[in-house]
Amino acid sequence: KLFMNIKKASDFYFVHSYYFLPKDHKNIIARTRYGIDFASIVEKNNILGVQFHPEKSQSNGIILLSNILKYKLES
C-alpha cells in the first residue's frame, strides 16, 4: 500500500551517509542499494520511519506521503 502509484526503483532524496540498522529485520519495509544495502523504510507497531527526505523527493515523495496517510488512517 505504501508504494501504490510509485514505480519500482524510483528515486528518493538522500542527503547523508549514515544508516539505521534495525535489530529485527522483520521491521524493514524497503531497502536501498547505494554501495551497500541498507534499510530505507522501517515499521514497528504504529511507528513508520524513513531514511530519506520524502518532502524533497518531488512527485515520488508526495505520493509516498499521501500513501502513508491513507495507510495509517486505515490501520
Side-chain angles (χ1 to χ4, degrees):
K1 292 181 181 181
L2 287 179
F3 305 105
M4 189 169 51
N5 299 318
I6 298 174
K7 293 180 182 177
K8 191 172 183 155
S10 290
D11 291 329
F12 287 87
Y13 184 82
F14 291 80
V15 71
H16 44 70
S17 60
Y18 51 86
Y19 57 92
F20 173 69
L21 283 174
K23 288 182 183 178
D24 190 346
H25 290 279
K26 293 181 213 168
N27 297 331
I28 299 172
I29 293 177
R31 295 179 176 275
T32 297
R33 181 174 236 344
Y34 189 75
I36 61 167
D37 282 336
F38 59 91
S40 50
I41 303 178
V42 294
E43 180 179 36
K44 183 174 181 180
N45 301 326
N46 66 338
I47 298 171
L48 182 77
V50 298
Q51 185 67 30
F52 53 89
H53 291 271
E55 78 282 3
K56 293 183 178 184
S57 298
Q58 299 185 17
S59 59
N60 289 329
I62 291 169
I63 294 168
L64 181 69
L65 290 171
S66 177
N67 290 345
I68 289 170
L69 290 173
K70 290 176 190 172
Y71 172 69
K72 287 301 181 179
L73 290 175
E74 290 175 0
S75 298

